[in-house]
Amino acid sequence: MKLTIHGAARQVTGSMHLLQVGQYKILVDCGLDYEKDRSIQSNENFPFRPEEIDVVILTHAHIDHSGNLPTLVRLGFNGQILCTPPTADLTELLLLDSVSIFMNKAGKGNRKRGKGKFNSGGGPQPLYLQKHVMDTVDRFVTIGFNRPFRINGDIELTFIPVGHLLGAASAVLKVTENGEEKSIAFTGDIGRKNYPVLNDPQELPPVDFLVSESTYGGRYHTKGKSVEETLVEVIEKACIKEQGRLIIPAFSIGRTQSLVYSLNKIFTEGLLPAVKVFVDSPMATMATGIFRKYHSLVNQEAQDFYKDKGDEFEFDNLTYVETLKDSRQISNYWEPCIIISSAGMLEGGRIQDHLFYNIQNYYCTILFIGYCAKGTLGHRLLRGDPIVHIKDRELAVYATIKQTDVLSAHGDHQDLLDNVKQQDKTKLKNVFLVHGEGESMKLLAASLEDEGYTVTIPEKDVTYNI
């Protein structure tokens, strides 16, 4: 076997790993690389010929793992894309949203339909169009968790639940090569234990090689307070004592559903008086429908809540906001309220309207529940900038800025370490670390080596014989 890390090598975005078994080529994930020093158009420069890829395995729907699939299809890939059923549905939703983002950036006059060719005039050209997304969706072949699937006579795939997002999986491959059986697992993104709505990551079977994410290498989540305890504390101060509004930027898929369920528990159990909650994201509404569709895959606590108290994503004081007109009307709602809107890092989306009208409101609290990359508006607010640029205006920041990591869906350093330590170090020949910043990888590698594991931090586009 030959392993080449073509994406997420010593960085977080753009996951893309090539496994060659003889002449057979398997691509694990095909995500968008949106590091700040790269143009989005550079994603079409694949280091291989797309038509030579035999099959794609998709670990989960997030755009840094799935977002370049339509480009791969547009440029010649014509094989199957293997994933779990929820991943197929959520990926379609995210890819269609990517098209909207591309088109907004490109402008209506800068595109030309027809066999994937785009004109060269005007602004940045879209990587792909809706047609290419639908061509991609047509290639999805869905496989349930823990159900071995024979890709060909020599290769068997099993998806193992990993938490993190509905449908997310580690991909475990058993390979027979030259009469010898080998095994390799690609973790995808590893979730946390006791996370709202989602199941805990399932232990992987013994493997010879492991390709592991390292996003939170060297970092630890805050211990002590539960999600509900943290939210009660913030809501009580912002909405009840101060009679103000709480704005929570949250990614539409995954984070918003876990947040809504946690708020449902808080108000249903009477931990706080009812406060109006607006979920202002059409994509979040559609994603919630997918969570309902695959209700059998949510965790036992959420299933028990459904049996005892009803839909975990619906309660009396909750409103899903559909139209842009209704979204803008929220600014005229003068009672205390909670506004959940995307995007999580404040780069675009309806959240910018809410910030524009509330950033100078002394009675507004903005609660960040996820990571904000450098250069984003979210990062500038978190570092304490007194003035920020929103919608062509320079606005003073009078709102209270808070952050919590209780709803981070990534496992931390200890979770990543524990995931590897389930493997017998006498059998596991090598751990390849991907999907993390350089320093995170080094810190995780050092901890693993202290435990007696062999670790490689692969360079981009370098092939390893395994």
Side-chain angles (χ1 to χ4, degrees):
M1 292 192 299
K2 294 181 179 180
L3 175 68
T4 312
I5 306 302
H6 285 306
R10 306 186 185 189
Q11 67 175 48
V12 172
T13 69
S15 287
M16 186 168 62
H17 318 308
L18 181 65
L19 183 69
Q20 291 180 252
V21 182
Q23 297 302 309
Y24 198 82
K25 296 181 179 180
I26 302 169
L27 195 65
V28 180
D29 288 340
C30 189
L32 274 185
D33 182 344
Y34 43 85
E35 293 291 309
K36 60 181 179 297
D37 60 341
R38 289 188 54 138
S39 72
I40 203 73
Q41 279 68 36
S42 66
N43 281 272
E44 65 183 358
N45 300 324
F46 289 103
F48 48 76
R49 296 179 65 182
E51 66 269 23
E52 293 180 353
I53 300 298
D54 292 290
V55 69
V56 173
I57 297 171
L58 178 59
T59 60
H60 67 286
H62 281 146
I63 214 75
D64 56 336
H65 292 258
S66 71
N68 213 23
L69 283 170
T71 315
L72 191 76
V73 170
R74 174 170 73 82
L75 295 178
F77 170 69
N78 60 7
Q80 296 178 336
I81 301 169
L82 309 178
C83 61
T84 66
T87 293
D89 287 1
L90 292 174
T91 299
E92 179 178 356
L93 192 58
L94 279 165
L95 293 179
L96 289 171
D97 185 63
S98 290
V99 171
S100 297
I101 293 170
F102 293 152
M103 300 310 285
N104 286 338
K105 288 182 177 179
K108 292 182 180 179
N110 295 333
R111 70 186 190 276
K112 177 176 139 183
R113 294 188 179 278
K115 297 195 176 180
K117 294 183 179 180
F118 307 93
N119 70 21
S120 57
Q125 301 305 302
L127 271 181
Y128 45 81
L129 304 175
Q130 183 173 332
K131 171 191 181 302
H132 305 118
V133 172
M134 301 323 295
D135 289 344
T136 302
V137 170
D138 286 344
R139 303 197 177 282
F140 287 148
V141 174
T142 59
I143 305 164
F145 287 123
N146 296 304
R147 294 181 179 178
F149 177 87
R150 191 151 290 280
I151 295 176
N152 65 22
D154 297 321
I155 306 168
E156 181 185 271
L157 165 69
T158 305
F159 283 129
I160 306 296
V162 76
H164 181 66
L165 178 69
L166 188 71
S170 291
V172 179
L173 291 158
K174 287 184 180 180
V175 176
T176 302
E177 188 177 38
N178 300 323
E180 180 186 1
E181 186 175 283
K182 300 177 181 178
S183 56
I184 182 170
F186 296 81
T187 66
D189 285 355
I190 299 167
R192 300 174 66 178
K193 295 178 181 177
N194 303 313
Y195 192 79
V197 180
L198 301 178
N199 282 301
D200 290 353
Q202 182 180 309
E203 185 172 334
L204 293 175
V207 293
D208 299 307
F209 302 95
L210 183 65
V211 181
S212 174
E213 69 116 325
S214 55
T215 313
Y216 266 76
R219 289 188 285 169
Y220 295 87
H221 293 309
T222 305
K223 307 294 182 185
K225 290 182 181 177
S226 68
V227 173
E228 287 77 27
E229 287 170 336
T230 301
L231 290 174
V232 164
E233 187 177 285
V234 175
I235 295 167
E236 188 169 36
K237 184 175 188 300
C239 300
I240 296 171
K241 290 182 179 176
E242 295 182 357
Q243 292 285 294
R245 55 179 50 191
L246 174 64
I247 297 175
I248 307 178
F251 294 110
S252 300
I253 296 180
R255 201 74 55 91
T256 291
Q257 289 72 35
S258 295
L259 177 58
V260 166
Y261 171 54
S262 299
L263 292 172
N264 194 353
K265 288 200 291 181
I266 287 169
F267 295 122
T268 300
E269 294 169 11
L271 300 179
L272 285 174
V275 175
K276 185 67 178 176
V277 179
F278 297 100
V279 174
D280 189 11
S281 164
M283 185 189 286
T285 303
M286 290 185 281
T288 300
I290 294 171
F291 272 69
R292 291 187 177 111
K293 177 180 176 181
Y294 296 104
H295 196 261
S296 62
L297 295 179
V298 303
N299 65 24
Q300 192 59 51
E301 183 196 59
Q303 293 196 38
D304 290 343
F305 185 96
Y306 178 83
K307 291 174 187 174
D308 295 340
K309 299 182 173 67
D311 189 345
E312 59 267 51
F313 306 117
E314 195 69 65
F315 50 95
D316 288 344
N317 44 314
L318 172 67
T319 297
Y320 287 95
V321 180
E322 294 292 340
T323 68
L324 192 56
K325 179 182 178 182
D326 290 340
S327 173
R328 289 170 176 161
Q329 286 299 314
I330 296 174
S331 61
N332 297 323
Y333 186 86
W334 298 111
E335 298 295 319
C337 64
I338 300 168
I339 302 168
I340 303 166
S341 188
S342 61
M345 299 186 195
L346 311 186
E347 293 296 298
R350 293 183 180 180
I351 188 68
Q352 290 222 336
D353 284 329
H354 299 301
L355 289 174
F356 184 81
Y357 292 113
N358 289 283
I359 199 75
Q360 296 183 305
N361 178 1
Y362 285 102
Y363 295 96
C364 174
T365 298
I366 301 167
L367 175 65
F368 288 91
I369 59 173
Y371 171 74
C372 288
K374 288 182 180 178
T376 63
L377 175 56
H379 181 262
R380 291 192 288 276
L381 286 172
L382 284 170
R383 76 183 178 191
D385 285 18
I387 298 174
V388 291
H389 187 87
I390 305 175
K391 298 177 71 171
D392 299 324
R393 289 271 305 274
E394 299 293 325
L395 300 174
V397 180
Y398 300 141
T400 300
I401 310 298
K402 289 182 174 290
Q403 184 179 34
T404 179
D405 61 8
V406 294
L407 277 159
S408 169
H410 272 280
D412 67 6
H413 183 89
Q414 191 61 50
D415 295 318
L416 296 171
L417 191 60
D418 289 345
N419 191 64
V420 178
K421 285 170 65 177
Q422 294 167 356
Q423 299 289 325
D424 182 346
K425 66 189 72 174
T426 64
K427 176 176 171 58
L428 185 62
K429 296 180 177 65
N430 207 333
V431 182
F432 296 89
L433 295 183
V434 298
H435 200 282
E437 301 296 346
E439 187 63 22
S440 296
M441 290 182 174
K442 289 176 184 176
L443 291 168
L444 182 58
S447 293
L448 289 169
E449 287 167 349
D450 287 345
E451 295 288 341
Y453 292 95
T454 300
V455 182
T456 297
I457 300 177
E459 294 183 43
K460 186 175 183 179
D461 300 331
V462 172
T463 297
Y464 298 85
N465 290 305
I466 59 177

